[in-house]
Amino acid sequence: MSEMSFEQMLEDSLKTIRNGEVVEGTIISVKPDEIVLNIGYKSDGIITRNEYSTDSNLDLTKVVKENDKMEAKIIKVNDGEGQVLLSYKRLAQEKGNMKLKEAFENQEVLKGTVVQVLNGGLSVVVDEARVFIPASLISDSYIKDLSQFKDQEIEFVIIEFDPRKRRVIGNRKKLVASERAKKQKELLKSIKVGDVIEGVVKNVTSFGAFIDLGGLDGLLHISEMSWGRIENPSKASLNEGDKVTVFIKDISDNKIALSRKFPDENPWNGAAEKFAVGNIVKGKVARMTDFGAFVELAPGVDGLLHVSQISKEHIDKPSDVLSVGQEIEARIVEFREDERKISLSLKALNDFDEETSDDDSEYADVDVNQVASDLLNENA
């Protein structure tokens, strides 16, 4: 048996490798854009930055170091210069696709990083494998600005997996809806009518505002925004994203009615003293009808100035001498706290007879609250 040359023995001791094969090696050199790997072959393996990651600006010295062990896929046994070209990225993508496939088959929840915000949705990476989440499947409510998800880690499930056609579709909406339902159930168990709670303004409409209470929305109707008069929710200093303190007025069929009309702030508290018959008060003309003018004496407290009490002279209608927004001074000639009715008089300012207050024929018996409600319905 003839002796083998040293070169032949060395050649035989080295393994044979093929394109597409996965090899493990030890890093012997790292540059910002290149990794050199000893793979036990006659030539070292080279991993370029582009074959390590999709990040073209990544500094490889920041992620690996000499003597680290790592796996890679052979993409070319000989690059023409005697070196073996390797790819860490492609191997990671294959592993990622396997992970996606298993998750798709088992409907497992995955986590991935949003690497790109597109017009139609989000591009998410899981172990170098890409998943597309359409805008319609990102949340259970419309999201106008998707840029908020850039570089964020999000959870989703795979609903379509076809890597050959590059169709790997994720669904985050399903998880968001499930989590919201869970929070709604927990919230409904923890709250009761009368509770004071903090929420975030989610949406403002013509009839009120929807407040996110942490999993469930409550409606703050325009009539419950303030003790004072609010003709339009947009004028109530409520903007989307604002934090507000409200109390729960009613819970019915998983619907929550909210209010900001806290009882201790009720303007009718102490009204018997503030608005006693004979008192002179100041107010602002809030609105007018043919029979009189409603004067706001305090936020949520109106008095009726009947047309017959505006002047000693005959007046056809209030608008002949008064205007909305005008500040006036008047005397209270009637106060009915149980009915929340206050009657005013300009005539009685300088010539007031207490007996007048007992003579209902002098003052029109008008239900102030009913008239105010009718006017509100007419303007709605």
Side-chain angles (χ1 to χ4, degrees), residues 185-205:
K185 189 175 181 180
E186 292 174 351
L187 180 65
L188 288 170
K189 284 183 178 180
S190 66
I191 61 175
K192 62 183 182 298
V193 172
D195 283 353
V196 177
I197 189 170
E198 187 176 77
V200 178
V201 178
K202 185 175 181 180
N203 187 29
V204 179
T205 70

Side-chain angles (χ1 to χ4, degrees), residues 42-203:
K42 62 182 179 180
S43 300
D44 293 327
I46 304 296
I47 303 176
T48 64
R49 177 190 285 144
N50 289 338
E51 289 299 333
Y52 183 87
S53 171
T54 55
D55 185 354
S56 59
N57 297 315
L58 180 65
D59 183 349
L60 298 179
T61 62
K62 304 293 185 181
V63 292
V64 296
K65 61 182 183 298
E66 291 184 11
N67 298 320
D68 282 352
K69 290 188 178 298
M70 65 182 298
E71 286 186 326
K73 185 174 185 178
I74 299 172
I75 54 177
K76 186 175 288 189
V77 173
N78 189 332
D79 65 351
E81 297 181 2
Q83 295 176 318
V84 181
L85 294 184
L86 305 174
S87 177
Y88 173 81
K89 180 177 70 176
R90 299 186 196 188
L91 178 61
Q93 288 174 337
E94 289 181 0
K95 289 182 176 180
N97 279 329
M98 286 298 296
K99 184 176 182 178
L100 296 180
K101 181 181 179 182
E102 291 177 4
F104 169 68
E105 293 172 347
N106 300 319
Q107 282 299 285
E108 295 176 5
V109 177
L110 292 172
K111 281 186 178 181
T113 302
V114 178
V115 295
Q116 192 174 7
V117 176
L118 307 170
N119 289 333
L122 305 174
S123 179
V124 184
V125 168
V126 178
D127 295 340
E128 296 296 332
R130 295 255 179 170
V131 178
F132 177 67
I133 303 180
S136 61
L137 297 179
I138 293 174
S139 179
D140 60 347
S141 59
Y142 173 69
I143 299 178
K144 183 177 181 180
D145 184 12
L146 299 181
S147 64
Q148 61 183 286
F149 293 102
K150 182 71 168 69
D151 299 324
Q152 298 296 311
E153 188 176 62
I154 62 174
E155 292 186 334
F156 56 91
V157 292
I158 303 296
I159 59 172
E160 186 175 344
F161 182 78
D162 190 347
R164 291 183 179 180
K165 294 183 179 179
R166 294 186 176 182
R167 282 187 61 82
V168 183
I169 308 299
N171 185 340
R172 179 176 178 268
K173 176 180 178 178
K174 181 179 179 181
L175 299 182
V176 172
S178 177
E179 182 64 21
R180 186 181 295 277
K182 179 182 177 182
K183 287 183 177 180
Q184 288 177 355
K185 189 175 181 180
E186 292 174 351
L187 180 65
L188 288 170
K189 284 183 178 180
S190 66
I191 61 175
K192 62 183 182 298
V193 172
D195 283 353
V196 177
I197 189 170
E198 187 176 77
V200 178
V201 178
K202 185 175 181 180
N203 187 29

Side-chain angles (χ1 to χ4, degrees), residues 1 6 9 11 17 19-20 24 42 55 75 95 175 181 196 203 219 232 252 281 284 290 298 324 329 343 375 378:
M1 182 176 179
F6 176 77
M9 288 189 294
E11 183 79 21
I17 60 175
N19 290 344
E24 183 181 42
K42 62 182 179 180
D55 185 354
I75 54 177
K95 289 182 176 180
L175 299 182
V196 177
N203 187 29
L219 174 61
N232 191 315
S252 178
V281 292
K284 183 182 294 185
D290 288 342
V324 174
E329 193 174 73
S343 295
L375 287 174
E378 289 176 6

Side-chain angles (χ1 to χ4, degrees), residues 332-347:
I332 295 177
V333 293
E334 183 182 29
F335 176 77
R336 299 183 188 178
E337 186 172 14
D338 56 338
E339 299 176 33
R340 293 194 173 180
K341 179 188 293 185
I342 298 175
S343 295
L344 304 172
S345 175
L346 292 179
K347 284 170 56 175

Side-chain angles (χ1 to χ4, degrees), residues 147-314:
S147 64
Q148 61 183 286
F149 293 102
K150 182 71 168 69
D151 299 324
Q152 298 296 311
E153 188 176 62
I154 62 174
E155 292 186 334
F156 56 91
V157 292
I158 303 296
I159 59 172
E160 186 175 344
F161 182 78
D162 190 347
R164 291 183 179 180
K165 294 183 179 179
R166 294 186 176 182
R167 282 187 61 82
V168 183
I169 308 299
N171 185 340
R172 179 176 178 268
K173 176 180 178 178
K174 181 179 179 181
L175 299 182
V176 172
S178 177
E179 182 64 21
R180 186 181 295 277
K182 179 182 177 182
K183 287 183 177 180
Q184 288 177 355
K185 189 175 181 180
E186 292 174 351
L187 180 65
L188 288 170
K189 284 183 178 180
S190 66
I191 61 175
K192 62 183 182 298
V193 172
D195 283 353
V196 177
I197 189 170
E198 187 176 77
V200 178
V201 178
K202 185 175 181 180
N203 187 29
V204 179
T205 70
S206 60
F207 56 85
F210 288 96
I211 311 298
D212 184 352
L213 303 176
L216 187 62
D217 293 345
L219 174 61
L220 179 62
H221 193 267
I222 183 173
S223 63
E224 295 295 330
M225 287 185 171
S226 171
W227 282 109
R229 181 183 301 102
I230 295 179
E231 297 177 356
N232 191 315
S234 63
K235 298 180 181 179
S237 299
L238 289 176
N239 301 301
E240 291 184 19
D242 287 351
K243 288 185 178 180
V244 293
T245 300
V246 295
F247 74 89
I248 298 172
K249 186 178 180 182
D250 185 49
I251 302 175
S252 178
D253 297 327
N254 294 341
K255 294 180 180 179
I256 302 176
L258 305 173
S259 177
R260 295 181 78 185
K261 295 166 71 171
F262 293 94
D264 59 343
E265 298 174 358
N266 190 335
W268 285 89
N269 293 342
E273 181 179 350
K274 290 184 292 184
F275 306 117
V277 172
N279 285 1
I280 295 177
V281 292
K282 290 182 178 180
K284 183 182 294 185
V285 177
R287 60 195 185 282
M288 287 185 284
T289 66
D290 288 342
F291 61 80
F294 287 92
V295 181
E296 185 180 52
L297 305 178
V301 179
D302 286 352
L304 174 62
L305 177 60
H306 192 266
V307 65
S308 65
Q309 295 301 313
I310 294 177
S311 174
K312 292 181 179 180
E313 299 177 358
H314 175 73

